[in-house]
Coordinates of all heavy atoms in Angstrom, one line a residue:
M1 N 13.0 -5.5 9.0 CA 12.2 -6.7 8.8 C 11.3 -6.4 7.7 O 10.7 -5.4 7.6 CB 11.5 -7.0 10.1 CG 10.5 -8.1 9.9 SD 9.4 -8.4 11.4 CE 10.5 -9.6 12.3
C2 N 11.3 -7.3 6.8 CA 10.2 -7.3 5.7 C 9.2 -8.3 5.9 O 9.5 -9.5 5.9 CB 10.9 -7.4 4.3 SG 12.0 -6.1 3.8
L3 N 8.0 -7.8 6.0 CA 6.9 -8.8 6.1 C 6.0 -9.0 4.9 O 5.9 -8.0 4.1 CB 5.9 -8.2 7.3 CG 6.5 -8.0 8.7 CD1 5.6 -7.2 9.5 CD2 7.0 -9.3 9.3
G4 N 5.4 -10.0 4.7 CA 4.3 -10.2 3.7 C 3.0 -9.7 4.5 O 2.8 -10.2 5.6
I5 N 2.3 -8.8 3.9 CA 1.2 -8.2 4.5 C -0.1 -8.3 3.6 O 0.1 -7.9 2.5 CB 1.6 -6.7 5.0 CG1 0.5 -6.2 6.0 CG2 1.7 -5.8 3.9 CD1 1.0 -5.0 6.9
P6 N -1.2 -8.5 4.2 CA -2.4 -8.6 3.3 C -2.9 -7.3 2.9 O -2.8 -6.3 3.7 CB -3.5 -9.3 4.4 CG -2.7 -9.9 5.3 CD -1.4 -9.0 5.6
G7 N -3.3 -7.2 1.7 CA -3.8 -6.0 1.2 C -5.1 -6.4 0.3 O -5.2 -7.4 -0.3
R8 N -6.0 -5.5 0.2 CA -7.2 -5.6 -0.6 C -7.0 -4.8 -2.0 O -6.7 -3.7 -1.9 CB -8.5 -5.1 0.1 CG -9.7 -5.4 -0.6 CD -11.0 -4.9 0.1 NE -10.9 -3.5 0.2 CZ -11.1 -2.5 -0.6 NH1 -11.5 -2.8 -1.8 NH2 -11.0 -1.2 -0.3
I9 N -7.3 -5.6 -3.0 CA -7.1 -4.9 -4.4 C -8.3 -3.9 -4.5 O -9.5 -4.2 -4.3 CB -7.2 -6.0 -5.5 CG1 -6.1 -7.0 -5.4 CG2 -7.3 -5.2 -6.9 CD1 -4.7 -6.4 -5.7
V10 N -7.9 -2.6 -4.7 CA -8.9 -1.6 -5.0 C -9.3 -1.5 -6.4 O -10.5 -1.4 -6.8 CB -8.3 -0.2 -4.5 CG1 -9.3 0.9 -4.8 CG2 -8.0 -0.3 -3.0
S11 N -8.3 -1.5 -7.3 CA -8.6 -1.5 -8.8 C -7.3 -2.0 -9.5 O -6.2 -2.1 -9.0 CB -8.9 0.0 -9.2 OG -7.7 0.8 -9.0
I12 N -7.6 -2.5 -10.8 CA -6.5 -2.8 -11.6 C -6.2 -1.5 -12.4 O -7.0 -1.0 -13.1 CB -6.9 -3.9 -12.6 CG1 -7.4 -5.1 -11.8 CG2 -5.8 -4.3 -13.5 CD1 -6.5 -5.7 -10.8
T13 N -5.0 -1.0 -12.2 CA -4.7 0.3 -12.8 C -4.0 0.2 -14.2 O -4.0 1.1 -15.0 CB -3.7 1.1 -11.8 OG1 -2.5 0.3 -11.6 CG2 -4.3 1.4 -10.5
D14 N -3.4 -0.9 -14.4 CA -2.8 -1.1 -15.7 C -2.6 -2.6 -16.0 O -1.6 -3.2 -15.6 CB -1.3 -0.5 -15.7 CG -0.6 -0.5 -17.1 OD1 -1.1 -1.3 -18.0 OD2 0.4 0.3 -17.1
A15 N -3.6 -3.2 -16.7 CA -3.7 -4.6 -16.9 C -2.5 -5.1 -17.8 O -1.9 -6.2 -17.5 CB -5.0 -4.9 -17.6
A16 N -2.1 -4.2 -18.7 CA -1.1 -4.7 -19.7 C 0.2 -4.8 -19.0 O 1.0 -5.7 -19.2 CB -0.9 -3.6 -20.8
N17 N 0.5 -4.0 -17.8 CA 1.7 -4.1 -17.1 C 1.5 -4.7 -15.8 O 2.4 -4.7 -14.9 CB 2.3 -2.7 -17.0 CG 2.9 -2.1 -18.3 OD1 3.7 -2.8 -18.9 ND2 2.4 -1.1 -18.7
C18 N 0.4 -5.3 -15.6 CA 0.1 -6.2 -14.4 C 0.3 -5.3 -13.1 O 0.8 -5.7 -12.1 CB 0.9 -7.3 -14.3 SG 0.8 -8.5 -15.6
L19 N -0.4 -4.1 -13.1 CA -0.3 -3.2 -11.9 C -1.8 -3.0 -11.3 O -2.7 -3.0 -12.2 CB 0.2 -1.8 -12.3 CG 1.7 -1.8 -12.9 CD1 2.1 -0.5 -13.3 CD2 2.7 -2.5 -11.9
A20 N -1.8 -3.0 -10.1 CA -2.9 -2.7 -9.3 C -2.9 -1.9 -8.2 O -1.7 -1.8 -7.6 CB -3.6 -4.1 -8.9
K21 N -3.9 -1.2 -7.7 CA -3.9 -0.3 -6.5 C -4.4 -1.2 -5.4 O -5.4 -1.9 -5.5 CB -4.8 0.9 -6.7 CG -4.7 1.7 -5.4 CD -5.6 3.0 -5.5 CE -4.8 3.9 -6.5 NZ -5.4 5.2 -6.6
V22 N -3.6 -1.3 -4.3 CA -4.0 -2.1 -3.2 C -4.1 -1.3 -2.0 O -3.4 -0.2 -1.9 CB -2.9 -3.3 -3.0 CG1 -1.6 -2.7 -2.6 CG2 -3.4 -4.3 -2.1
D23 N -5.0 -1.7 -1.0 CA -5.2 -1.0 0.2 C -4.6 -1.9 1.3 O -5.1 -3.0 1.5 CB -6.6 -0.6 0.4 CG -6.9 0.1 1.7 OD1 -6.6 -0.4 2.8 OD2 -7.2 1.4 1.6
V24 N -3.7 -1.4 2.1 CA -3.1 -2.1 3.2 C -3.3 -1.2 4.4 O -2.7 -0.2 4.5 CB -1.6 -2.4 3.0 CG1 -1.1 -3.0 4.3 CG2 -1.4 -3.3 1.9
S25 N -4.4 -1.6 5.2 CA -4.6 -0.9 6.5 C -4.8 0.6 6.2 O -4.2 1.5 7.0 CB -3.5 -1.1 7.5 OG -3.5 -2.4 7.9
G26 N -5.4 0.9 5.2 CA -5.8 2.4 4.8 C -4.7 3.1 4.0 O -4.9 4.2 3.5
V27 N -3.6 2.5 3.7 CA -2.5 3.0 2.9 C -2.7 2.3 1.5 O -2.7 1.2 1.3 CB -1.1 2.8 3.4 CG1 0.0 3.3 2.5 CG2 -1.0 3.3 4.9
Q28 N -2.9 3.2 0.5 CA -3.0 2.7 -0.8 C -1.8 3.0 -1.8 O -1.2 4.0 -1.7 CB -4.2 3.3 -1.5 CG -5.5 2.9 -1.0 CD -6.6 3.4 -1.7 OE1 -6.7 4.0 -2.8 NE2 -7.9 3.1 -1.1
R29 N -1.4 2.0 -2.5 CA -0.2 2.0 -3.3 C -0.4 1.1 -4.5 O -1.2 0.2 -4.5 CB 1.0 1.5 -2.6 CG 1.7 2.4 -1.7 CD 2.4 3.6 -2.4 NE 2.8 4.6 -1.5 CZ 2.2 5.7 -1.3 NH1 1.0 6.1 -2.0 NH2 2.7 6.6 -0.5
T30 N 0.3 1.5 -5.6 CA 0.3 0.6 -6.8 C 1.3 -0.5 -6.5 O 2.4 -0.2 -6.2 CB 0.5 1.4 -8.1 OG1 -0.5 2.5 -8.1 CG2 0.6 0.6 -9.3
I31 N 0.9 -1.7 -6.9 CA 1.8 -2.8 -6.8 C 1.8 -3.7 -8.0 O 0.9 -3.5 -8.8 CB 1.5 -3.7 -5.5 CG1 0.1 -4.3 -5.8 CG2 1.6 -3.0 -4.2 CD1 -0.2 -5.5 -4.8
S32 N 2.7 -4.5 -8.2 CA 2.7 -5.5 -9.2 C 2.0 -6.7 -8.9 O 2.2 -7.3 -7.8 CB 4.2 -5.8 -9.6 OG 4.3 -6.9 -10.7
V33 N 1.2 -7.2 -9.9 CA 0.4 -8.4 -9.7 C 1.0 -9.5 -10.8 O 0.2 -10.4 -11.0 CB -1.1 -8.2 -9.7 CG1 -1.6 -7.4 -8.6 CG2 -1.6 -7.6 -11.1
R34 N 2.1 -9.2 -11.3 CA 2.7 -10.0 -12.4 C 2.8 -11.5 -11.9 O 2.7 -12.4 -12.7 CB 3.9 -9.4 -12.9 CG 4.5 -10.2 -14.0 CD 5.7 -9.5 -14.8 NE 5.4 -8.2 -15.2 CZ 4.8 -7.8 -16.4 NH1 4.3 -8.7 -17.1 NH2 4.6 -6.6 -16.7
L35 N 3.1 -11.6 -10.7 CA 3.4 -13.0 -10.2 C 2.1 -13.8 -10.2 O 2.2 -15.0 -10.0 CB 4.1 -13.0 -8.8 CG 5.5 -12.4 -8.8 CD1 5.9 -12.2 -7.5 CD2 6.4 -13.1 -9.7
L36 N 1.0 -13.2 -10.2 CA -0.3 -13.8 -10.3 C -1.0 -13.8 -11.6 O -2.2 -14.0 -11.7 CB -1.2 -13.1 -9.2 CG -0.7 -13.0 -7.7 CD1 -1.6 -12.3 -6.9 CD2 -0.3 -14.4 -7.2
E37 N -0.2 -13.6 -12.7 CA -0.9 -13.4 -14.0 C -1.6 -14.6 -14.5 O -2.5 -14.6 -15.3 CB 0.0 -12.9 -15.0 CG 1.2 -13.7 -15.5 CD 2.1 -13.0 -16.4 OE1 1.7 -12.1 -17.2 OE2 3.3 -13.3 -16.4
K38 N -1.3 -15.8 -13.9 CA -2.0 -17.0 -14.4 C -3.5 -17.0 -13.8 O -4.3 -17.7 -14.1 CB -1.3 -18.3 -14.0 CG -0.1 -18.5 -14.9 CD 0.6 -19.8 -14.6 CE 1.8 -20.0 -15.5 NZ 2.5 -21.2 -15.2
D39 N -3.5 -16.4 -12.6 CA -4.9 -16.3 -11.9 C -4.9 -14.8 -11.3 O -4.8 -14.6 -10.2 CB -5.0 -17.3 -10.8 CG -6.2 -17.3 -10.1 OD1 -7.2 -16.7 -10.6 OD2 -6.3 -17.7 -8.9
P40 N -5.2 -13.7 -12.2 CA -5.0 -12.4 -11.8 C -6.1 -12.0 -10.8 O -7.2 -12.4 -10.8 CB -5.2 -11.6 -13.1 CG -5.7 -12.6 -14.1 CD -5.4 -13.9 -13.6
P41 N -5.7 -11.2 -9.8 CA -6.7 -10.8 -8.8 C -7.6 -9.7 -9.4 O -7.3 -9.1 -10.5 CB -5.9 -10.1 -7.7 CG -4.6 -9.6 -8.5 CD -4.4 -10.7 -9.5
E42 N -8.8 -9.6 -8.8 CA -9.8 -8.6 -9.2 C -10.0 -7.7 -8.0 O -9.7 -7.9 -7.0 CB -11.1 -9.3 -9.7 CG -10.8 -10.2 -10.9 CD -12.1 -11.0 -11.3 OE1 -13.1 -10.5 -10.8 OE2 -12.0 -11.8 -12.2
P43 N -10.7 -6.5 -8.4 CA -11.1 -5.6 -7.2 C -11.7 -6.4 -6.1 O -12.6 -7.3 -6.4 CB -11.9 -4.6 -7.9 CG -11.4 -4.4 -9.3 CD -11.1 -5.9 -9.6
D44 N -11.3 -6.0 -4.9 CA -11.9 -6.7 -3.6 C -11.3 -8.1 -3.3 O -11.6 -8.6 -2.2 CB -13.5 -6.8 -3.6 CG -14.2 -5.5 -3.6 OD1 -13.6 -4.6 -2.9 OD2 -15.2 -5.2 -4.2
D45 N -10.4 -8.6 -4.2 CA -9.7 -9.7 -3.8 C -8.6 -9.4 -2.7 O -8.1 -8.2 -2.8 CB -9.0 -10.4 -5.0 CG -9.9 -11.2 -5.9 OD1 -11.0 -11.4 -5.5 OD2 -9.4 -11.5 -7.1
W46 N -8.2 -10.2 -1.9 CA -7.1 -10.1 -0.9 C -5.9 -10.9 -1.5 O -6.0 -11.9 -2.2 CB -7.6 -10.6 0.4 CG -8.5 -9.8 1.2 CD1 -9.8 -9.8 1.0 CD2 -8.2 -8.7 2.0 NE1 -10.4 -8.9 1.8 CE2 -9.4 -8.3 2.5 CE3 -7.0 -8.2 2.6 CZ2 -9.4 -7.2 3.5 CZ3 -7.1 -7.3 3.5 CH2 -8.3 -6.7 3.9
V47 N -4.8 -10.1 -1.3 CA -3.4 -10.6 -1.7 C -2.4 -10.4 -0.6 O -2.6 -9.5 0.2 CB -2.9 -10.0 -3.0 CG1 -3.8 -10.3 -4.3 CG2 -2.7 -8.4 -2.9
L48 N -1.5 -11.2 -0.6 CA -0.3 -11.1 0.3 C 0.8 -10.3 -0.4 O 1.3 -10.6 -1.4 CB 0.2 -12.5 0.6 CG 1.3 -12.5 1.9 CD1 0.7 -11.9 3.1 CD2 1.7 -13.9 2.1
V49 N 1.1 -9.1 0.1 CA 2.1 -8.1 -0.5 C 3.4 -8.2 0.1 O 3.5 -8.2 1.3 CB 1.4 -6.8 -0.4 CG1 2.4 -5.7 -1.2 CG2 0.1 -6.6 -1.1
H50 N 4.4 -8.3 -0.7 CA 5.9 -8.3 -0.2 C 6.7 -7.5 -1.2 O 6.7 -7.8 -2.3 CB 6.4 -9.7 0.0 CG 7.8 -9.8 0.4 ND1 8.1 -9.4 1.7 CD2 8.9 -10.2 -0.1 CE1 9.4 -9.5 1.9 NE2 9.9 -10.1 0.8
V51 N 7.4 -6.5 -0.6 CA 8.2 -5.7 -1.4 C 7.6 -5.2 -2.7 O 8.3 -5.3 -3.9 CB 9.6 -6.1 -1.6 CG1 10.4 -6.3 -0.4 CG2 9.7 -7.5 -2.4
G52 N 6.4 -4.8 -2.7 CA 5.7 -4.2 -3.9 C 5.1 -5.3 -4.9 O 4.7 -4.8 -6.0
F53 N 5.1 -6.5 -4.5 CA 4.6 -7.6 -5.3 C 3.5 -8.3 -4.6 O 3.6 -8.6 -3.4 CB 5.6 -8.5 -5.8 CG 6.6 -8.0 -6.8 CD1 7.8 -7.4 -6.2 CD2 6.5 -8.1 -8.1 CE1 8.7 -6.8 -7.1 CE2 7.4 -7.7 -9.0 CZ 8.5 -7.0 -8.5
A54 N 2.4 -8.6 -5.4 CA 1.4 -9.5 -4.8 C 2.0 -10.9 -4.9 O 2.3 -11.3 -6.2 CB 0.1 -9.4 -5.5
M55 N 2.2 -11.6 -3.8 CA 2.8 -12.9 -3.9 C 1.8 -14.1 -3.9 O 2.1 -15.1 -4.6 CB 3.6 -13.2 -2.6 CG 4.7 -12.1 -2.3 SD 5.9 -12.0 -3.7 CE 6.8 -13.5 -3.4
A56 N 0.7 -13.9 -3.4 CA -0.4 -14.9 -3.5 C -1.8 -14.2 -3.2 O -1.9 -13.3 -2.6 CB -0.2 -15.9 -2.4
K57 N -2.8 -14.9 -3.8 CA -4.1 -14.5 -3.4 C -4.5 -15.3 -2.1 O -4.2 -16.4 -2.0 CB -5.2 -14.9 -4.6 CG -5.0 -14.0 -5.7 CD -5.7 -14.4 -7.0 CE -7.2 -14.5 -6.9 NZ -7.9 -14.7 -8.1
I58 N -5.2 -14.6 -1.2 CA -5.7 -15.1 0.0 C -7.1 -14.8 0.2 O -7.6 -13.9 -0.3 CB -4.8 -14.7 1.2 CG1 -4.8 -13.2 1.4 CG2 -3.4 -15.3 1.0 CD1 -4.0 -12.8 2.6
D59 N -7.8 -15.6 1.0 CA -9.2 -15.2 1.3 C -9.2 -14.3 2.4 O -8.4 -14.0 3.1 CB -10.0 -16.5 1.6 CG -9.7 -17.2 2.9 OD1 -9.2 -16.6 3.8 OD2 -9.8 -18.5 3.0
E60 N -10.5 -13.6 2.5 CA -10.6 -12.5 3.5 C -10.3 -12.9 4.9 O -9.8 -12.2 5.7 CB -12.1 -11.8 3.3 CG -12.2 -10.7 4.2 CD -13.6 -10.0 3.9 OE1 -14.5 -10.6 3.4 OE2 -13.7 -8.9 4.4
K61 N -10.9 -14.1 5.3 CA -10.7 -14.6 6.6 C -9.2 -14.7 6.9 O -8.7 -14.2 8.0 CB -11.4 -16.0 6.8 CG -11.2 -16.5 8.3 CD -12.0 -17.8 8.4 CE -11.7 -18.3 9.8 NZ -12.5 -19.7 9.9
E62 N -8.4 -15.3 6.1 CA -7.0 -15.4 6.3 C -6.3 -14.1 6.3 O -5.4 -13.8 7.2 CB -6.4 -16.3 5.2 CG -4.9 -16.4 5.3 CD -4.3 -17.2 4.2 OE1 -5.0 -17.8 3.3 OE2 -3.1 -17.4 4.2
A63 N -6.8 -13.1 5.4 CA -6.2 -11.8 5.4 C -6.5 -11.1 6.8 O -5.5 -10.5 7.3 CB -6.8 -10.9 4.3
L64 N -7.6 -11.1 7.3 CA -8.0 -10.5 8.5 C -7.2 -11.0 9.7 O -6.7 -10.4 10.7 CB -9.5 -10.4 8.9 CG -10.2 -9.6 7.8 CD1 -11.8 -9.7 7.9 CD2 -9.8 -8.2 7.7
L65 N -7.0 -12.5 9.8 CA -6.4 -13.1 10.8 C -4.9 -12.7 10.8 O -4.3 -12.5 11.7 CB -6.5 -14.6 10.8 CG -7.9 -15.2 11.1 CD1 -8.0 -16.7 10.7 CD2 -8.2 -15.0 12.6
T66 N -4.3 -12.7 9.6 CA -2.9 -12.3 9.4 C -2.7 -10.9 9.8 O -1.7 -10.5 10.5 CB -2.6 -12.6 7.9 OG1 -2.7 -13.9 7.6 CG2 -1.0 -12.2 7.7
L67 N -3.6 -10.0 9.5 CA -3.4 -8.6 9.8 C -3.5 -8.4 11.3 O -2.6 -7.7 11.9 CB -4.5 -7.7 9.2 CG -4.3 -7.2 7.8 CD1 -5.5 -6.5 7.3 CD2 -3.1 -6.2 7.7
A68 N -4.3 -9.1 12.0 CA -4.5 -9.1 13.4 C -3.0 -9.6 14.0 O -2.6 -9.0 15.0 CB -5.6 -9.9 13.9
A69 N -2.6 -10.6 13.5 CA -1.2 -11.2 14.0 C -0.1 -10.2 13.8 O 0.7 -10.0 14.7 CB -1.0 -12.5 13.3
V70 N 0.0 -9.7 12.5 CA 1.1 -8.7 12.4 C 1.0 -7.4 13.1 O 2.0 -6.8 13.5 CB 1.4 -8.5 10.9 CG1 1.9 -9.7 10.2 CG2 0.3 -7.8 10.2
Q71 N -0.2 -7.0 13.4 CA -0.4 -5.8 14.1 C 0.2 -6.0 15.6 O 0.6 -5.0 16.3 CB -1.9 -5.4 14.3 CG -2.4 -4.7 12.9 CD -3.8 -4.6 12.9 OE1 -4.6 -5.1 13.7 NE2 -4.3 -3.8 11.8
Q72 N 0.1 -7.2 16.1 CA 0.7 -7.5 17.4 C 2.2 -7.4 17.5 O 2.9 -7.3 18.5 CB 0.2 -8.9 17.9 CG -1.3 -8.9 18.2 CD -1.7 -10.3 18.5 OE1 -0.9 -11.3 18.7 NE2 -3.0 -10.5 18.8
L73 N 2.9 -7.4 16.3 CA 4.3 -7.2 16.2 C 4.7 -5.8 16.6 O 5.9 -5.5 16.8 CB 4.8 -7.6 14.9 CG 4.7 -9.0 14.4 CD1 5.1 -9.2 13.0 CD2 5.4 -9.9 15.4
G74 N 3.8 -4.9 16.7 CA 4.2 -3.5 17.2 C 5.0 -2.7 16.2 O 4.5 -2.4 15.1
D75 N 6.2 -2.4 16.5 CA 7.1 -1.5 15.8 C 7.4 -2.2 14.4 O 7.4 -1.4 13.4 CB 8.5 -1.3 16.5 CG 8.3 -0.3 17.7 OD1 7.2 0.4 17.7 OD2 9.2 -0.3 18.4
A76 N 7.6 -3.5 14.4 CA 7.8 -4.1 13.0 C 6.6 -3.9 12.1 O 6.8 -3.6 11.0 CB 8.0 -5.6 13.1
Y77 N 5.4 -3.9 12.6 CA 4.2 -3.6 11.8 C 4.1 -2.2 11.3 O 4.0 -1.9 10.2 CB 3.0 -4.0 12.5 CG 1.6 -3.6 11.8 CD1 1.2 -4.2 10.6 CD2 0.9 -2.6 12.4 CE1 0.0 -3.9 10.1 CE2 -0.3 -2.3 11.8 CZ -0.7 -2.8 10.7 OH -1.9 -2.5 10.0
T78 N 4.5 -1.3 12.3 CA 4.4 0.1 12.0 C 5.5 0.5 11.0 O 5.3 1.2 10.1 CB 4.7 0.9 13.3 OG1 3.6 0.6 14.3 CG2 4.5 2.4 13.0
D79 N 6.7 0.0 11.2 CA 7.8 0.2 10.2 C 7.5 -0.3 8.9 O 7.7 0.3 7.8 CB 9.2 -0.6 10.7 CG 9.6 0.1 11.9 OD1 9.2 1.2 12.4 OD2 10.6 -0.5 12.6
E80 N 6.8 -1.5 8.8 CA 6.4 -2.0 7.4 C 5.4 -1.1 6.8 O 5.4 -0.9 5.5 CB 5.8 -3.5 7.6 CG 5.6 -4.2 6.3 CD 6.8 -4.6 5.5 OE1 7.9 -4.5 6.1 OE2 6.6 -4.9 4.4
L81 N 4.4 -0.6 7.5 CA 3.4 0.3 7.0 C 4.0 1.6 6.5 O 3.7 2.1 5.5 CB 2.2 0.6 8.0 CG 1.2 -0.4 8.0 CD1 0.0 0.0 9.0 CD2 0.5 -0.7 6.6
D82 N 5.0 2.1 7.2 CA 5.8 3.3 6.9 C 6.5 3.1 5.6 O 6.5 4.0 4.7 CB 6.7 3.7 7.9 CG 6.0 4.3 9.2 OD1 4.8 4.7 9.1 OD2 6.6 4.4 10.3
A83 N 7.2 1.9 5.5 CA 7.9 1.6 4.3 C 7.0 1.5 3.1 O 7.3 2.0 1.9 CB 8.7 0.3 4.4
F84 N 5.8 0.9 3.3 CA 4.9 0.7 2.3 C 4.3 2.0 1.8 O 4.1 2.3 0.5 CB 3.7 -0.2 2.7 CG 2.8 -0.6 1.7 CD1 3.0 -1.5 0.7 CD2 1.4 0.1 1.7 CE1 2.1 -1.9 -0.3 CE2 0.5 -0.3 0.8 CZ 0.8 -1.2 -0.3
D85 N 4.1 2.9 2.8 CA 3.5 4.3 2.5 C 4.5 5.1 1.7 O 4.1 5.9 0.9 CB 3.2 4.9 3.8 CG 2.4 6.2 3.6 OD1 1.7 6.3 2.5 OD2 2.5 7.1 4.4
T86 N 5.8 4.9 1.8 CA 6.8 5.7 1.1 C 7.2 5.0 -0.2 O 8.1 5.6 -0.9 CB 8.0 6.1 2.0 OG1 8.6 4.8 2.4 CG2 7.5 6.9 3.2
S87 N 6.8 3.8 -0.5 CA 7.2 3.1 -1.7 C 6.4 3.5 -2.9 O 5.3 4.0 -2.8 CB 7.3 1.6 -1.5 OG 6.0 1.1 -1.3
I88 N 7.0 3.2 -4.0 CA 6.3 3.5 -5.3 C 6.9 2.7 -6.4 O 8.0 2.4 -6.4 CB 6.4 4.9 -5.7 CG1 5.5 5.3 -6.9 CG2 7.7 5.4 -6.0 CD1 5.2 6.8 -7.1
I89 N 6.0 2.1 -7.3 CA 6.5 1.5 -8.5 C 6.3 2.5 -9.7 O 5.2 3.0 -9.8 CB 5.5 0.2 -8.7 CG1 5.9 -0.7 -7.6 CG2 5.9 -0.3 -10.1 CD1 5.1 -2.1 -7.9
V90 N 7.3 2.6 -10.4 CA 7.3 3.5 -11.7 C 7.4 2.8 -12.9 O 8.0 1.7 -12.9 CB 8.3 4.7 -11.5 CG1 7.8 5.8 -10.9 CG2 9.6 4.1 -10.8

């Protein structure tokens, strides 16, 4: 199962290539924010992350509600975090 999961932008790591470091429940990874280049996120913005891409900017309230909901999925949530933790964009 692949979930869209909320993450908080920690930093823009490569603006020219639309890459940012995001924190998802304590796991930090570099993701692409290219799909949001018309309204690029900034540090502390929340985004919905799916397969290494920020799909949409979301507000903090929506992010926290969504995180609480996906955490209730149990193994699906844990599996998604494990997959996120082992992924990388090169």
